C-alpha cells in the first residue's frame, strides 16, 4: 500500500523579493548584495529590500502568523501574496499555481474567489449599509441581489452582527466595523484569508474579543489564514506557526513553543523574553528520563505546562509524558515549580526538546 501524498500547501513562497528603488530588479541577482544587511544595501544602492529571499509554505487549514517590528516588511510581504504589491523576483504558488505568471484577468479572478483580505483600516463604504458592504464583493462578481443578500445574511449571523444589517458604518463601533470587514471577506467563501494587522487600532478588550472571534471562525470553518501582527501575545494566541521578520528577512519560523524555548538569535530572544514560559512551553521541553507508576496519570507530550499543573502537583510521584502510546519521559513537581518560579536566561535553555533519542540525557530545563 502506497503512502498518501503530502497535500499541496495553499501557499508556497520561493525566493521572493520586493525591492523598492532605482534598478531594483538588479538587487536579487547581484552576488555582491548577498552578504549585506538590508540597511547596508540601502546605504550602498539607495534601494530598500522590503522582502528579501523569502521561502516558506502555508499548509491548508493553517493559521500562519507573520510578525516583526514596524518596517520589518511584513505588510509588504502579505500584499505580495496577491500582487497588490508586485514582487521584484521569486515565486508565489497558490495551490501549486504560480500567480506571478497569472494574467490580469486571472489575477482578478483569484482575488475575487480564492483569497480575501482584512485590513487594519476597515475600508467600508460609508454610503452602504452593513448588508450592502458585506455583499459588495458578490455584487462585483455579478451575483443576483437575492442570492448575495442570502449569503450576506448568513455571514452576518456568523460574525455576530444580526440586527445591524441596515446600519451604516458611522453608526457602528470600531469592533463592529471590523466584524463587517471580516464578514465581507467571508462572504465570497475564499480558500485563504489574509489579515494585515486587523485589530491593532482597536481597544484592548475589543481586540481580545476579535481574536477570540477569529479562533472560533477558524475552528468552525477551517480556513487557511495568514495573519500579520507586531504583537507577540496575539501571534502566540492565534498562530499554529509564527514567522519572525527583520529588515525584510526571515529570522525564525516555528511554533510558539519553539520560538520561546529555542530562539534563533538575540533578536528573537528579545521578542520572547517577557513571555510566561509556563503558558507557552509544552511538557516536551521539561520531560526527563524516568519511570512513571504503571497506575499513575500520564499526559500527552504536547500539553502546555500551565495546563499540566493540576495533574502534576496533585500527584505524589512522577507523571508520565507520552507521545501517542510511547512513554518518552516523566515530569515531577520540582520540574513544574522550577518553570513557574525561576526566571530562565536564554543561555540556560538547551535548544532541543526531548525526543526518543535523548532519553538518557539531562533534563532540558534543569
Amino acid at each position: 500500500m502506497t503512502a498518501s501524498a503530502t497535500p499541496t500547501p495553499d501557499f508556497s513562497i520561493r525566493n521572493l523579493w520586493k525591492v523598492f528603488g532605482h534598478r531594483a530588479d538588479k538587487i536579487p541577482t547581484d552576488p555582491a548584495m548577498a552578504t549585506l544587511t538590508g540597511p547596508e544595501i540601502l546605504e550602498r544602492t539607495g534601494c530598500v529590500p522590503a522582502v528579501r529571499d523569502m521561502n516558506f509554505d502555508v499548509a491548508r487549514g493553517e493559521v500562519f502568523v507573520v510578525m516583526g517590528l514596524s518596517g520589518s516588511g511584513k505588510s509588504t510581504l502579505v500584499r505580495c501574496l496577491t500582487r497588490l504589491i508586485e514582487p521584484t523576483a521569486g515565486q508565489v504558488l497558490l495551490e501549486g499555481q504560480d500567480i506571478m505568471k497569472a494574467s490580469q484577468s486571472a489575477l482578478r479572478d483569484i482575488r475575487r474567489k480564492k483569497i480575501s483580505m482584512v485590513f487594519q483600516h476597515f475600508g467600508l463604504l460609508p454610503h452602504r449599509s452593513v448588508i450592502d458592504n458585506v455583499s459588495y464583493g458578490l455584487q462585483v462578481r455579478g451575483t443576483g441581489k437575492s442570492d448575495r443578500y442570502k449569503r450576506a445574511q448568513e455571514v452576518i449571523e456568523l460574525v455576530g452582527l444580526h440586527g445591524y444589517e441596515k446600519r451604516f458604518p458611522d453608526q457602528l463601533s470600531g469592533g463592529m466595523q471590523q466584524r463587517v470587514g471580516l464578514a465581507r471577506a467571508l462572504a465570497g467563501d475564499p480558500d485563504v484569508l489574509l489579515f494585515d494587522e486587523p485589530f491593532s487600532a482597536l481597544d484592548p478588550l475589543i481586540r481580545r474579543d476579535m481574536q477570540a472571534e477569529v479562533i472560533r471562525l477558524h475552528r468552525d470553518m477551517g480556513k487557511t489564514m495568514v495573519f500579520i501582527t507586531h504583537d507577540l501575545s496575539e501571534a502566540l494566541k492565534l498562530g499554529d506557526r509564527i514567522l519572525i521578520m527583520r529588515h525584510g528577512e526571515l529570522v525564525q519560523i516555528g511554533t510558539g513553543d519553539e520560538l520561546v524555548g529555542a530562539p534563533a538569535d538575540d533578536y528573537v530572544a528579545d521578542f520572547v523574553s517577557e513571555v510566561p514560559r509556563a503558558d507557552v512551553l509544552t511538557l516536551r521541553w521539561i520531560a526527563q528520563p524516568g519511570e512513571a507508576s504503571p497506575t499513575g496519570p500520564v499526559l500527552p507530550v504536547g500539553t502546555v505546562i500551565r495546563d499540566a499543573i493540576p495533574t502534576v502537583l496533585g500527584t505524589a510521584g512522577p507523571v508520565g509524558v507520552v507521545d501517542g502510546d510511547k512513554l518518552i519521559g516523566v515530569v515531577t513537581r520540582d520540574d513544574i515549580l522550577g518553570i513557574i518560579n525561576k526566571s530562565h536566561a536564554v543561555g540556560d535553555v538547551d535548544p532541543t526538546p526531548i525526543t526518543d533519542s535523548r532519553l538518557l540525557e539531562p533534563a532540558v530545563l534543569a
Side-chain angles (χ1 to χ4, degrees), residues 210-258:
M210 289 303 300
Q211 291 166 353
E213 189 69 17
V214 168
I215 292 170
R216 181 184 69 81
L217 288 171
H218 183 259
R219 182 184 64 241
D220 293 346
M221 304 181 73
K223 297 288 186 184
T224 303
M225 298 180 178
V226 179
F227 198 100
I228 306 299
T229 183
H230 63 268
D231 184 332
L232 180 60
S233 64
E234 186 167 75
L236 292 171
K237 181 183 291 187
L238 298 178
D240 295 316
R241 287 187 302 147
I242 301 167
L243 183 157
I244 296 183
M245 291 183 69
R246 174 181 56 199
H247 299 319
E249 295 184 88
L250 187 160
V251 180
Q252 186 171 359
I253 186 171
T255 60
D257 66 315
E258 288 170 345

Side-chain angles (χ1 to χ4, degrees), residues 2 5 42 44 54 58-59 66 70 73 89 101 112-113 134 137-138 160 168 171 175 210 253 260 273 313 350 359 366:
T2 59
L42 173 61
R44 182 173 296 189
M54 193 68 67
V58 179
V66 180
S70 296
K101 298 178 180 178
R112 288 175 180 173
K113 298 179 180 179
V134 172
L138 297 175
F168 288 86
Q171 298 173 314
M210 289 303 300
I253 186 171
V260 172
S273 61
L313 297 189
D350 180 338
L359 291 180

Side-chain angles (χ1 to χ4, degrees), residues 18-39:
K18 176 56 187 178
V19 183
F20 294 99
H22 180 60
R23 302 186 70 185
D25 59 314
K26 305 298 181 184
I27 301 296
T29 57
D30 186 348
M33 300 294 107
T35 59
L36 301 181
T37 66

Side-chain angles (χ1 to χ4, degrees), residues 71-210:
S72 62
K74 56 189 185 297
S75 291
T76 300
L77 171 62
V78 76
R79 282 165 168 75
C80 284
L81 299 185
T82 57
R83 289 174 58 189
L84 288 176
I85 292 177
E86 198 69 38
T88 305
Q91 292 181 301
V92 178
L93 303 175
L94 176 64
E95 298 174 350
Q97 301 298 312
D98 190 356
I99 69 168
M100 294 293 291
K101 298 178 180 178
S103 65
Q104 286 301 310
S105 62
L107 191 56
R108 283 194 296 271
D109 203 47
I110 288 170
R111 292 171 181 166
R112 288 175 180 173
K113 298 179 180 179
K114 290 283 191 180
I115 303 173
S116 286
M117 195 160 184
V118 182
F119 296 94
Q120 175 182 348
H121 302 292
F122 316 124
L124 303 181
L125 300 172
H127 60 286
R128 284 177 170 259
S129 65
V130 166
I131 196 165
D132 284 327
N133 264 285
V134 172
S135 63
Y136 179 69
L138 297 175
Q139 182 180 354
V140 171
R141 285 191 197 178
T143 305
K145 185 174 183 179
S146 176
D147 287 341
R148 70 175 183 260
Y149 272 22
K150 180 181 178 181
R151 174 58 181 165
Q153 189 63 48
E154 290 173 355
V155 294
I156 283 171
E157 305 248 358
L158 188 66
V159 302
L161 284 173
H162 177 68
Y164 293 90
E165 293 86 347
K166 295 182 179 180
R167 299 285 185 92
F168 288 86
D170 63 359
Q171 298 173 314
L172 304 176
S173 68
M176 293 177 73
Q177 289 184 44
Q178 194 58 283
R179 286 177 186 267
V180 177
L182 182 56
R184 182 177 58 189
L186 291 169
D189 195 25
D191 295 333
V192 180
L193 288 165
L194 306 179
F195 297 84
D196 187 11
E197 301 203 61
F199 310 144
S200 61
L202 302 179
D203 293 335
L205 291 179
I206 299 174
R207 182 172 187 161
R208 184 184 64 191
D209 290 344
M210 289 303 300

